[in-house]
Amino acid sequence: RVLEDAFKGLDIEIHLALPAASPRVSIDACAARFQGLNISRLLFTKIDEADLFDELVRAPVRLNMPVSYLTCGQRVAFFRETT
């Protein structure tokens, strides 16, 4: 509830970051736990550690959320938008 109150009224995109190897039950539990934050996108990390990629396809469809980023390895790239 504290996070919900902190982000209330802000015009921001919230991305739910999940390990790519996460099973369906874990992904759904995380999405439900943070539902009050109005998550708009999914971000999958550690794709280099995943053996199966079915949830990378199924979760966005099931949760009706697009994927914003996929990360591989220990480093997360930061992208800067320029005008």
Side-chain angles (χ1 to χ4, degrees):
R1 185 86 181 129
V2 173
L3 283 176
E4 291 175 31
D5 291 341
F7 292 121
K8 186 179 272 184
L10 297 178
D11 185 26
I12 59 173
E13 264 187 8
I14 298 177
H15 301 236
L16 180 61
L18 301 161
S22 296
R24 176 184 178 146
V25 66
S26 296
I27 292 171
D28 290 350
C30 285
R33 186 176 309 128
F34 294 104
Q35 182 178 4
L37 294 178
N38 295 323
I39 297 163
S40 57
R41 303 194 184 283
L42 298 173
L43 184 160
F44 287 101
T45 64
K46 304 178 187 176
I47 61 170
D48 58 314
E49 296 178 14
D51 292 327
L52 301 172
F53 299 98
D54 56 329
E55 280 303 309
L56 269 68
V57 175
R58 292 182 180 151
V61 172
R62 186 174 62 253
L63 300 172
N64 195 30
M65 289 183 216
V67 174
S68 59
Y69 294 101
L70 300 172
T71 69
C72 182
Q74 296 296 315
R75 294 185 55 191
V76 175
F78 291 94
F79 298 95
R80 205 180 305 174
E81 190 174 314
T82 59
T83 56

